[in-house]
Amino acid sequence: MSARKLTITRLGGQGDGIAETPDGQIFVPFTVPGDVVNAGVEKSRASLIAVLEPSPDRVTPPCPHFGPDDENAGCGGCALQHVADEVYRDWKRGLVIAALESRNIAADVAPLVSCEPHTRRRVVFAARRTDKGAILGFNRAASHQIVKVETCIVATQRINQALPALRRLATAVAVGKEAFRLSVLDAAPGLDLAVEAPFKLGEPDRLRIISAVRAEPDVTRLSFNGEILIEKQPPELEFGKVIVNPPPGGFVQASKAAEDVMGDLVTGHLKKSKRVVDLFSGSGTFALRLAQQSHVHAVEADGPSLAALDKAARRTQGLKPVSVEKRDLFRRPLMLAELKTYQGLVFDPPRAGAEVQVADIARSTVKHIAAVSCNPVTLARDLEILIKGGYKLTSVTPIDQFLWSAHVEVVALLERPKR
């Protein structure tokens, strides 16, 4: 590794600053376009040593755990707290524009919809037992080392206030010294915890964990590798006007504010559709909102999530009919004949996208489509298939659900023009 003086010209796709040199591009984390820095360079990667001349677009990070590695910093959860808001927003919107342009898709991408700090209701911590109790925090970037956090500026205040309790529970859960994941969902009436661990629990371990949870009034449920160990009250989420009891560790949109924006875009686009199919429906983020105006068929591979959706629909008065189907859409997508009865469709797949399913949708007569994705690259690929199939892209909205990270949520709306 050699120390070099570098000038940062732009931000890369993961939020690192890029310096253009005769030897090629060099990526420097925690830098801003306009910075002149001293960096330790190894091939195309570098570590920041010092900022020699700060960019006018460099700001003070609001979180004490953000920044290059030292005793307190190095958390890998955020990548861009040091970047001025206007530059940050343009960069994040630019990720969507670049993904679409890579597929030759011309679209007027809307301004980035902001999410405020302390609004992320779903957080996944890393934890590990130590001689002094469990350490709870986030992994350093590109590392398995856990940085202990005393506060998290993106998480809800309720999660922040519960950090001491979460550390106590992590200590109760830890068996051996293997690292594990602790997912925390801010729900009603309390926090819903889901542990994913590479170790097994004995009966004394189970009793210890149950006793520890009983002593924490802010925690309503704890599950271990999918098994509920203790549930004081079923956790509740509200999708539109419908109350849902999510399954342990089930998928939930990270921010309630972002979910509401997405829900409004999807329901508004499909409002004239008498029958709608929701693909990759989860526990009903969109299906239960849409059921207030349309007949809905929800398709999802995860059985517990689908059961939660079905239960919520059955006990809620005033909804249009809702049917559910457990189905792996990657292995067995809805075929053309199955799609012909629907006027509206929404799909929100995992990061890999829905390439196989979209191939059938592109040949269908579905009038209105809402495509939701947390990966602009796979979304652009799927949109290209739909556009080649005759669909018109009417709007693209990026949503900053994952604040100060390199991830961005996108809602794209399409319609099939009249023949």
Side-chain angles (χ1 to χ4, degrees):
M1 181 181 291
S2 60
R4 293 179 61 178
K5 182 178 179 180
L6 300 171
T7 299
I8 306 302
T9 58
R10 61 190 177 90
L11 292 173
Q14 296 302 311
D16 295 339
I18 297 178
E20 303 286 351
T21 76
D23 302 322
Q25 296 179 344
I26 297 177
F27 295 83
V28 191
F30 308 113
T31 58
V32 183
D35 277 347
V36 178
V37 303
N38 187 19
V41 179
E42 186 172 356
K43 297 182 180 180
S44 64
R45 304 293 303 176
S47 57
L48 179 63
I49 297 174
V51 178
L52 305 176
E53 299 175 28
S55 165
D57 294 316
R58 173 176 283 275
V59 298
T60 301
C63 177
H65 302 299
F66 178 84
D69 295 354
D70 63 26
E71 184 178 354
N72 297 311
C75 167
C78 295
L80 294 128
Q81 290 188 17
H82 61 300
V83 181
D85 186 63
E86 184 176 355
V87 175
Y88 166 75
R89 290 169 60 84
D90 288 345
W91 170 80
K92 186 155 273 195
R93 176 173 176 266
L95 296 176
V96 180
I97 294 173
L100 295 175
E101 288 180 345
S102 72
R103 296 283 176 169
N104 296 315
I105 298 174
D108 183 13
V109 178
L112 182 73
V113 176
S114 297
C115 283
E116 297 299 316
H118 293 303
T119 58
R120 183 156 181 168
R121 64 181 175 185
R122 179 173 59 85
V123 180
V124 182
F125 292 101
R128 181 173 52 80
R129 181 180 177 181
T130 71
D131 293 337
K132 297 181 180 180
I135 182 173
L136 181 79
F138 300 105
N139 289 332
R140 295 188 190 276
S143 169
H144 293 296
Q145 183 179 0
I146 301 172
V147 177
K148 178 183 177 181
V149 297
E150 300 294 343
T151 183
C152 177
I153 196 168
V154 300
T156 63
Q157 293 288 11
R158 191 182 196 183
I159 293 175
N160 274 278
Q161 292 166 2
L163 281 172
L166 296 177
R167 275 191 285 273
R168 289 193 292 269
L169 292 175
T171 301
V173 167
V175 175
K177 292 193 175 182
E178 294 175 288
F180 58 95
R181 288 157 48 101
L182 177 64
S183 298
V184 182
L185 174 63
D186 186 349
L191 300 179
D192 180 20
L193 310 185
V195 176
E196 295 179 37
F199 48 81
K200 296 181 179 180
L201 300 177
E203 192 59 27
D205 301 319
R206 294 169 181 270
L207 294 175
R208 180 182 66 252
I209 294 169
I210 291 170
S211 177
V213 173
R214 283 177 175 157
E216 302 295 349
D218 291 331
V219 177
T220 190
R221 181 172 71 180
L222 186 143
S223 62
F224 183 88
N225 289 346
E227 177 192 356
I228 297 174
L229 297 187
I230 178 172
E231 183 176 79
K232 301 174 186 176
Q233 287 181 266
E236 295 180 351
L237 295 175
E238 190 174 4
F239 295 157
K241 298 179 181 179
V242 181
I243 301 298
V244 178
N245 303 123
F251 173 77
V252 175
Q253 296 293 346
S255 162
K256 177 65 163 61
E259 180 189 278
D260 288 342
V261 171
M262 289 185 276
D264 289 345
L265 288 168
V266 171
T267 56
H269 187 58
L270 304 182
K271 63 184 177 182
K272 294 183 179 180
S273 303
K274 183 177 179 181
R275 293 180 59 84
V276 173
V277 60
D278 181 356
L279 306 179
F280 308 96
S281 66
S283 296
T285 302
F286 300 116
L288 295 171
R289 285 175 165 87
L290 290 164
Q292 297 176 49
Q293 63 191 31
S294 307
H295 294 219
V296 178
H297 182 57
V299 185
E300 168 61 47
D302 183 65
S305 294
L306 200 64
L309 189 165
D310 185 47
K311 181 180 178 181
R314 291 177 182 275
R315 71 185 180 195
T316 304
Q317 296 182 347
L319 298 182
K320 302 286 187 180
V322 176
S323 56
V324 299
E325 179 181 359
K326 187 176 185 296
R327 183 165 175 170
D328 185 342
L329 293 167
F330 292 107
R331 297 174 179 269
R332 193 164 64 91
L334 262 67
M335 306 301 286
L336 185 62
E338 297 173 280
L339 292 167
K340 67 181 180 180
T341 61
Y342 303 107
Q343 297 81 47
L345 181 150
V346 56
F347 65 94
D348 183 10
R351 289 187 60 80
E355 185 176 13
V356 175
Q357 177 62 80
V358 164
D360 283 288
I361 298 172
R363 299 187 297 123
S364 75
T365 58
V366 177
K367 177 66 175 175
H368 293 95
I369 294 175
V372 183
S373 176
C374 61
N375 186 344
V377 174
T378 56
L379 174 64
R381 178 203 63 204
D382 294 346
L383 292 178
E384 181 185 27
I385 296 170
L386 293 170
I387 292 169
K388 287 182 177 179
Y391 282 92
K392 178 184 177 182
L393 183 61
T394 60
S395 76
V396 179
T397 304
I399 303 166
D400 196 14
Q401 176 163 223
F402 308 100
L403 187 60
W404 292 313
S405 79
H407 301 295
V408 57
E409 196 82 28
V410 188
V411 177
L413 307 177
L414 305 97
E415 62 181 27
R416 185 174 285 287
K418 293 181 180 179
R419 298 178 186 271

